[in-house]
Amino acid sequence: VIDSAEVKRLGREAGFGAVRICSADDLEPEGQRYQDWISAGRQSEMRWITMEYARRSSSPRTILPGARSVISVALAYWGGTRPEDGALRGRIARYAWGADYHRVLGERLRAFSDAVHAQAGAEHRCFVDTGPAMDKAFAARSGVGWQGKNTNILTTHFGSFVLLGEILTTLALSPDRPLTVGCGSCRLCIVACPTGALGPEYSIDSRRCISYLTIEHRGSIPRALRPAIGQWVFGCDICQDVCPPSAKAFHQSAEERRAWAAGVRSALRPEESHAEPQTLLPRAARATVSGPLYSGAIRPSVDLLWLLSLSHEEYVTEFRGTAIRRAKVWMLRRNAAIALGNVGDGSCVSGLTRAAREDEHPVVRGHAAWALGQVAARTGGAVVAAILRELLQAEDDMSVIEEIGSALDAAGRRPSSG
Ligand code: B12
Ligand code: SF4
Ligand code: SF4
């Protein structure tokens, strides 16, 4: 026999920043909203998100017959103020700076579930991000946090910088209540999102989200969205970085809070955020890096030219044990090409030319050609236009030829007809 207080004690002992409980009844209206979201195409090309998947995710007893409670947990992962990026560096979202959270969260959740089982028996099923379970809806129902307008769960102690998991259990535990706080009239995340992915209400359109585009999207990224991606090469933290409850949790000193406010102001000026994306985030002179995901080496950013020519072998060794392996190696090269198109200068032309000529993946060649066009448009284009014309002669892939044509246009030199 075990009571809710003891379950929570075991959860905290396993290393979770919040542990709360809710009933295992079907999630409504969240389940219906999930299906509406899919009907609107907002899952984009994440093909595993189907109507059936949404139904199972909102109905715990289809996963664990006899389930009576859901124990919802949050792992805080803030890793400190983002260090200065430096020129020509690609940004990585905070949750992927260190060890793969699936492993860290999974190990803790299994240890927690084993401890509960040892005291009370019963059947349990653990979920760490990937299973059919609406992590955020359980976290909101149990009061781990509230769902903000950036669609993430915000906790009172760690803002939205938490990763979520849950244990479905046949134990009958007394449930907690949802929180009574919320975002109020704040809309900062909605206006700061550089691609306009947030809204209406508390909903996201993955098709426009940089996190989706850089990590999940396996193809060409729409040209219209590329400038807004700035220097992000894996994920995006903007709608969390501008969020006051999340900032309050971590920016303690007056200096840090001033730097945060300056970052928010520049994020809200779209023309600046596109031209100079490195001003988007709060900066501070020092970087304090700690937390469960950051015990080893951390990588908040990468050299863009290095990433642009990343081999499969380097990808395997350099990103072993990190969440970055969620993206394929060629997707990282594609993302590097976009970031270089946004911030690169003349020093990137030879790297981009090599990628546009030699990369085995046509999407990377096409994006490198696009980046050349962007660099040319910024820095004066005669030499780059000549390179693009040369590339056009050698290229056979229709999609890349189309990209080169468009890049020539951007560089201000259309190919002469005939
Ligand atoms: C698919 C997915 C994505 C997609 C879609 C994101 C999304 N917002 O759902 C993409 C690839 C874009 C993505 C990005 C990110 N993700 Co993600 N992702 C998932 C995943 C695997 C499934 C989420 C899902 O099913 N979404 C479907 C939609 C329908 O869910 P929803 O947004 O919650 O929908 C609700 C609202 O729209 C609301 N709603 C709709 N209409 C209305 C109207 C009213 C009036 C109201 C009140 C509400 C409302 O109701 C819906 C149902 O509850 C979960 C893990 C999991 N199994 O849950 C992680 C998860 C959501 N991701 C996570 C993280 C960390 C991220 C990133 C921060 C990573 C990064 N730094 O790049 C970004 C954040 C982007 C963002 N602003 O959301 C964490 C979030 C942790 C937290 N604190 O909330 C999760 C929970 C993983 C985990 N286990 O920790 N992700
Ligand atoms: S993660 Fe970035 S692109 Fe996606 S909704 Fe948030 S701010 Fe917008
Ligand atoms: S920025 Fe404002 S509206 Fe967006 S999630 Fe944070 S508190 Fe809510």
Side-chain angles (χ1 to χ4, degrees):
V1 187
I2 194 167
D3 64 12
S4 297
E6 177 61 3
V7 167
K8 288 176 192 175
R9 194 190 64 75
L10 291 173
R12 280 191 297 273
E13 204 170 86
F16 293 108
V19 187
R20 309 260 296 192
I21 293 163
C22 64
S23 90
D25 293 344
D26 285 0
L27 289 162
E28 281 309 335
E30 296 89 343
Q32 185 54 50
R33 283 179 178 153
Y34 199 165
Q35 294 189 30
D36 295 345
W37 187 76
I38 296 171
S39 300
R42 294 192 144 213
Q43 79 285 24
S44 194
E45 286 170 35
M46 292 181 282
R47 299 196 193 287
W48 49 274
I49 301 183
T50 60
M51 288 295 184
E52 177 53 23
Y53 188 80
R55 271 191 287 274
R56 283 163 61 77
S57 301
S58 56
S59 184
R61 291 186 191 107
T62 60
I63 309 293
L64 178 64
R68 297 169 84 177
S69 309
V70 179
I71 307 166
S72 176
V73 300
L75 181 75
Y77 71 93
W78 169 264
T81 304
R82 173 178 287 277
E84 291 285 335
D85 288 322
L88 305 185
R89 306 270 312 167
R91 284 195 172 152
I92 293 172
R94 259 198 192 86
Y95 82 98
W97 285 4
D100 188 346
Y101 71 95
H102 295 96
R103 181 177 62 74
V104 178
L105 190 65
E107 282 170 5
R108 289 184 187 207
L109 206 56
R110 273 186 296 278
F112 178 23
S113 152
D114 288 350
V116 174
H117 187 78
Q119 283 202 30
E123 281 185 70
H124 309 280
R125 174 101 193 250
C126 295
F127 284 92
V128 182
D129 186 22
T130 46
M134 296 181 76
D135 293 348
K136 294 186 283 183
F138 288 123
R141 185 194 264 186
S142 66
V144 160
W146 78 89
Q147 188 160 20
K149 291 175 193 170
N150 63 13
T151 78
N152 291 313
I153 290 293
L154 279 82
T155 62
T156 41
H157 283 92
F158 315 104
S160 61
F161 292 106
V162 291
L163 294 158
L164 304 172
E166 55 274 323
I167 304 174
L168 265 52
T169 172
T170 52
L171 291 170
L173 299 166
S174 56
D176 294 300
R177 289 173 197 279
L179 301 183
T180 50
V181 285
C183 293
S185 57
C186 178
R187 291 175 43 90
L188 276 175
C189 53
I190 296 175
V191 276
C193 173
T195 53
L198 295 172
E201 297 284 356
Y202 294 72
S203 175
I204 193 168
D205 190 340
S206 305
R207 290 168 295 198
R208 301 188 72 84
C209 176
I210 296 169
S211 184
Y212 166 78
L213 292 168
T214 54
I215 303 172
E216 303 288 338
H217 185 70
R218 301 187 173 189
S220 174
I221 292 180
R223 274 202 289 273
L225 293 175
R226 292 178 200 166
I229 291 175
Q231 275 167 278
W232 293 102
V233 292
F234 189 90
C236 166
D237 284 329
I238 294 171
C239 57
Q240 301 191 86
D241 280 326
V242 300
C243 173
S246 300
K248 257 183 234 153
F250 297 102
H251 296 299
Q252 304 293 343
S253 70
E255 184 209 347
E256 281 173 330
R257 288 183 178 211
R258 261 196 307 276
W260 172 79
V264 172
R265 277 192 292 276
S266 59
L268 300 187
R269 286 202 293 274
E271 69 287 0
E272 263 195 35
S273 69
H274 291 181
E276 209 187 337
Q278 59 269 55
T279 61
L280 274 174
L281 293 177
R283 287 158 176 234
R286 66 188 170 78
T288 26
V289 174
S290 60
L293 306 181
Y294 311 120
S295 48
I298 61 141
R299 202 191 305 252
S301 67
V302 281
D303 183 277
L304 285 171
L305 285 166
W306 172 75
L307 196 67
L308 181 68
S309 62
L310 189 72
S311 69
H312 191 262
E313 292 69 34
E314 285 171 310
Y315 165 78
V316 170
T317 51
E318 292 288 329
F319 297 119
R320 180 174 289 134
T322 73
I324 293 181
R325 291 285 292 276
R326 172 79 193 161
K328 304 273 180 206
V329 60
W330 67 264
M331 291 162 68
L332 295 175
R333 297 202 300 266
R334 171 200 66 186
N335 299 346
I338 293 180
L340 284 168
N342 290 331
V343 297
D345 54 21
S347 69
C348 309
V349 169
S350 68
L352 285 169
T353 304
R354 191 210 48 75
R357 186 185 291 134
E358 293 168 20
D359 198 286
E360 62 189 15
H361 206 294
V363 170
V364 181
R365 294 202 300 278
H367 283 62
W370 172 84
L372 283 168
Q374 298 301 109
V375 172
R378 266 200 310 279
T379 61
V383 175
V384 175
I387 293 171
L388 285 166
R389 273 198 219 92
E390 214 180 281
L391 290 169
L392 197 56
Q393 297 300 319
E395 183 60 58
D396 286 334
D397 186 287
M398 274 174 78
S399 65
V400 185
I401 289 172
E402 197 270 327
E403 289 275 11
I404 298 172
S406 158
L408 273 161
D409 194 23
R413 318 263 161 167
R414 286 175 183 282
S416 52
S417 52

